[in-house]
Amino acid sequence: MTLLCVLANSLAANGQTMPVVAERQTDMKEIAGAAKTISDMFKTPETYSAERFKAAARTISDRADRRLVDQFAKVTVAEGSKATDVIATDHDRFAELARDLKTYADALSSAAERHPEAMSDDMLMKQGEAIGGGPLGTRVRSQASMSKLSAEHAFHLMLQTCTSCHSRFRSR
């Protein structure tokens, strides 16, 4: 651990970012870009492409869960990172949010598989659609409940998961 601290201080002194921090930042930018791609399709459904939608969802899924948890396992706080040490002290909650991110991204990928031609009305949220999650809870508790969600609802829950994680584990 001491060697890791020396390396972090050395890189910081030279204005460099630790490789793990750079990797985390790259992944986060790719997640954000993928989320924007999906968001744009929900805003303008006629631009929907199942292939691009699924690829964006897979980009998020591939960078969530274990990969995300592993990136913060050894180095949490480091120069160039906005991650806080709360990740280390509340590791279980961080891991839970990382799993939830993957769950919602996988639901989006599945929706693209079921809708290869167009973004149909059943992919969009409907007035009165049962709400799972919300600002105090971002989880759909069962697979049965998840399968009833529209893709757009799963997308909003995924974004809430990102917001919950950043508000708890990222400095401002």
Side-chain angles (χ1 to χ4, degrees), residues 83-165:
T84 67
D85 60 356
V86 178
I87 293 172
T89 59
D90 197 0
H91 180 75
D92 291 343
R93 178 65 177 144
F94 180 78
E96 181 179 59
L97 289 168
R99 278 189 305 276
D100 290 349
L101 181 64
K102 180 174 178 43
T103 298
Y104 296 128
D106 289 347
L108 293 169
S109 179
S110 294
E113 289 174 3
R114 290 190 311 274
H115 300 87
E117 301 301 321
M119 183 177 286
S120 59
D121 288 343
D122 66 326
M123 288 182 74
L124 303 174
M125 287 183 73
K126 291 152 202 57
Q127 187 172 9
E129 184 172 348
I131 302 295
L136 300 176
T138 58
R139 302 189 76 217
V140 172
R141 301 290 176 199
S142 70
Q143 192 59 38
S145 295
M146 181 61 109
S147 66
K148 294 177 186 176
L149 291 179
S150 66
E152 188 175 22
H153 192 159
F155 178 67
H156 287 290
L157 290 171
M158 185 184 77
L159 294 178
Q160 286 180 2
T161 300
C162 294
T163 299
S164 294
C165 191

Side-chain angles (χ1 to χ4, degrees), residues 33-95:
K36 183 175 181 345
T37 295
I38 294 168
S39 175
D40 288 348
M41 286 188 226
F42 280 123
K43 287 178 185 169
T44 314
E46 55 274 6
T47 65
Y48 174 78
S49 156
E51 185 178 311
R52 286 188 305 118
F53 192 95
K54 184 176 179 177
R58 295 301 318 153
T59 293
I60 297 166
S61 178
D62 291 348
R63 285 153 185 78
D65 199 17
R66 283 291 350 140
R67 179 170 168 162
L68 187 58
V69 170
D70 290 348
Q71 287 177 336
F72 288 90
K74 293 183 180 163
V75 177
T76 303
V77 178
E79 184 69 31
S81 173
K82 292 184 179 180
T84 67
D85 60 356
V86 178
I87 293 172
T89 59
D90 197 0
H91 180 75
D92 291 343
R93 178 65 177 144
F94 180 78

